[in-house]
Amino acid sequence: MMRKHVAFSPRLSSPKRFAVSSRTMTALAAVPRARLSFWNKLVYAAGNTGNVIGYQLVTTYVLRLYAPPDDKGTALIPAFLAGAIPTYLLLNLVARGFDTFWDPIVANWSDRSKHRLGRRRAFMIAGVFPLALTAGLIFFPPTAATSLVNVVWLGAMLTAYYAMFSVYVAPYLALLPEIAPDKQENTSLSTLLAAAALLGALGVMVVAPALFLGKGGNDRVELQTMAGALALLSFVLMLLPVVFLDERRLVIRAEASGAEPSHLGLVDSLRATFADRAFLTYVLGYTLYFFAFNMISTGVPFYVEVLMGRPLAEVGKLLGPMFGVAALAFPLLGGLARRFSKKGTMIASSLVFGGLMTLLPWVHDVRLGMVIFALAGVPVAIFMAIPNAILADVCEASTRRTGQRREAMFFGAQGFLQKISLGVSTGVFQWVKDALGSSADKPLGVQVTGPLATAILVLAALTFARYPEARVTKEMEGAG
């Protein structure tokens, strides 16, 4: 077999740093692989349900446990350290500081791995149990009173959780463009992943509170029991793709395709990733959207208890309609993306979701809240499905342009920024609510988070407008 010629430019910062022959690009499109059956798709999607259960558990209920509304229980950590530093924000920044080094290291290891089980599956095996374990342990602080010991515990558990998130989730998502390299196929699989994520979020935010929070969420033991059960379910679901998905059969072999695992070192791989204009534009828009979305997600228990005067167990009354509408919207997303483009759907999603969140300060009736969150179901469905499909396109375009497969670095870089956004947005929410008030008599700190999220979503829409989708599509088709 004739070897495919791949020429590398020594200047990694140049946008044309790699050149790949047209014969290589043709081979990439033509190499046979094992068919991705419906069973394979379900098993792969189950991992996303498990991952989202743990993630949603941490983002929605950790702050509620450690820093409840002013009139809803004893705080387990002081609101501020040294009288001025928001505690939860500081802990998240410390955890993100570790991720600054850890995320790209894991991604680079995975991209360069030649493990016999597969370069993604080996990392998923290593991360699955610690990830589920730390998601549960966060909810079991050493003491039941406000204490610096709890501050240390929470900081350590958050750092461990996000470190294990990198080990499992970045390689898991990196499989998407590898097992579904076709543009329409990865859109279809991304939509299935979004439906799986919706199922996980539904379990955490609607079903579990109804089953476990019989006293309205004010009983700490009930919340801890719920967290333990969800962490166990998360582990079982994340284990399914590890056990049943044969990466070696489903991924195009490097030696047959003309593409190869990355041989770039950590620094060069990072530089090449962030020098990709399509990736940089996309990931900035996604990170801004995620910041706003997570701020709203963190705020839901406070909207229910503080603004609407209802018990925590009734969060399902807001989120049930939203998830129901999102589920109905999923089958339509492929058609929307084809007609208006993935870029166009993300811009519309950002603006519609932002417009709805401006109404939150005036929502005092749970019925009005149900209507607003139901209308938010369509933009939320788009946000859950389309970004992974866009990033899969970016990965495939990069592979065709460079001859190297670096999916884990792309998804790892996104995951790193996602976790920074997650930590900072949750910390900012805590800071705003504690500084401006989070009680029924003084709700301003909860009210302003809606308009704040809107401003960030407008910035996300402006950023998505600069995503070069036409260029990415040409490169995927071998015309770039």
Side-chain angles (χ1 to χ4, degrees):
M1 180 183 297
M2 181 177 295
R3 296 184 64 183
K4 308 301 179 187
H5 173 68
V6 183
F8 298 95
S9 167
R11 294 188 59 194
L12 291 174
S13 59
S14 169
K16 295 184 179 294
R17 60 193 178 275
F18 301 120
V20 181
S21 71
S22 60
R23 295 176 67 185
T24 295
M25 291 185 291
T26 301
L28 280 168
V31 174
R33 61 182 171 86
R35 181 176 177 273
L36 193 64
S37 67
F38 186 64
W39 164 252
N40 294 144
K41 293 177 181 180
L42 287 180
V43 166
Y44 181 62
N48 206 36
T49 303
N51 159 46
V52 168
I53 286 174
Y55 152 76
Q56 204 69 56
L57 175 65
V58 171
T59 58
T60 304
Y61 295 108
V62 165
L63 187 61
R64 175 59 178 79
L65 175 69
Y66 283 86
D70 295 341
D71 52 355
K72 297 292 183 179
T74 302
L76 300 180
I77 57 174
F80 298 92
L81 295 176
I85 306 173
T87 304
Y88 198 64
L89 177 59
L90 177 63
L91 294 179
N92 277 281
L93 290 177
V94 169
R96 300 292 69 73
F98 177 79
D99 277 342
T100 300
F101 303 98
W102 182 242
D103 266 316
I105 289 172
V106 171
N108 189 245
W109 282 347
S110 180
D111 279 336
R112 301 177 71 179
S113 173
K114 297 180 180 180
H115 198 282
R116 62 182 180 83
L117 294 177
R119 60 184 183 146
R120 312 305 184 194
R121 192 179 180 196
F123 285 83
M124 292 163 63
I125 291 171
V128 61
F129 177 71
L131 179 58
L133 180 65
T134 51
L137 287 179
I138 293 176
F139 289 85
F140 293 86
T143 68
T146 306
S147 170
L148 291 177
V149 174
N150 289 337
V151 173
V152 175
W153 173 264
L154 179 57
M157 288 298 102
L158 285 174
T159 302
Y161 173 76
Y162 292 125
M164 290 302 103
F165 188 95
S166 298
V167 174
Y168 182 90
V169 177
Y172 167 82
L173 290 176
L175 274 174
L176 173 60
E178 295 183 330
I179 62 179
D182 176 75
K183 187 174 182 179
Q184 290 194 1
E185 188 177 24
N186 74 47
T187 300
S188 173
L189 187 54
S190 294
T191 302
L192 182 59
L193 289 187
L198 182 68
L199 184 63
L202 182 70
V204 173
M205 304 180 76
V206 178
V207 178
L211 292 176
F212 290 96
L213 304 184
K215 297 180 180 179
N218 294 323
D219 188 325
R220 190 173 298 152
V221 175
E222 286 186 343
L223 188 55
Q224 291 174 324
T225 303
M226 183 181 79
L230 288 173
L232 178 60
L233 179 60
S234 172
F235 170 70
V236 172
L237 292 171
M238 289 191 294
L239 192 62
L240 292 179
V242 172
V243 174
F244 293 109
L245 206 64
D246 189 347
E247 178 184 345
R248 295 167 299 177
R249 292 182 59 252
L250 296 172
V251 173
I252 294 175
R253 297 187 307 277
E255 64 271 17
S257 69
E260 58 184 7
S262 174
H263 61 71
L264 295 178
L266 174 61
V267 175
D268 286 345
S269 187
L270 273 173
R271 185 184 299 138
T273 299
F274 283 102
D276 189 315
R277 177 173 170 261
F279 171 74
L280 187 60
T281 305
Y282 154 75
V283 82
L284 287 176
Y286 174 81
T287 302
L288 287 167
Y289 198 128
F290 187 83
F291 187 103
F293 179 81
N294 187 65
M295 180 175 289
I296 297 301
S297 179
T298 302
V300 167
F302 296 87
Y303 304 145
V304 170
E305 292 186 295
V306 177
L307 300 185
M308 302 174 199
R310 307 302 301 171
L312 180 62
E314 293 191 15
V315 293
K317 288 187 175 180
L318 287 189
L319 298 175
M322 184 180 78
F323 291 146
V325 171
L328 294 174
F330 280 135
L332 307 177
L333 297 186
L336 286 175
R338 286 191 295 271
R339 181 170 182 179
F340 299 106
S341 80
K342 296 172 186 176
K343 169 182 173 176
T345 56
M346 286 306 302
I347 293 171
S349 173
S350 303
L351 295 176
V352 173
F353 190 43
L356 291 170
M357 293 306 100
T358 60
L359 304 176
L360 283 179
W362 296 278
V363 177
H364 302 294
D365 189 311
V366 71
R367 291 169 295 183
L368 178 58
M370 291 170 66
V371 172
I372 291 173
F373 276 83
L375 293 174
V378 174
V380 166
I382 292 172
F383 174 64
M384 296 177 75
I386 299 301
N388 279 338
I390 293 177
L391 186 50
D393 290 349
V394 171
C395 291
E396 188 64 19
S398 173
T399 297
R400 291 169 180 267
R401 189 174 64 250
T402 68
Q404 292 191 82
R405 305 205 71 99
R406 296 186 301 107
E407 291 87 353
M409 184 57 77
F410 280 108
F411 278 93
Q414 173 181 270
F416 164 62
L417 293 174
Q418 178 181 350
K419 286 184 285 183
I420 289 180
S421 178
L422 170 64
V424 175
S425 61
T426 307
V428 167
F429 185 94
Q430 182 244 331
W431 175 44
V432 172
K433 83 172 183 67
D434 288 337
L436 301 180
S438 61
S439 66
D441 296 330
K442 192 180 179 183
L444 182 60
V446 177
Q447 290 174 316
V448 299
T449 57
L452 179 58
T454 298
I456 297 168
L457 286 162
V458 171
L459 292 177
L462 294 173
T463 306
F464 280 125
R466 300 180 63 83
Y467 170 65
E469 186 170 28
R471 193 203 78 192
V472 169
T473 300
K474 287 181 180 179
E475 289 178 343
M476 289 179 65
E477 295 170 348

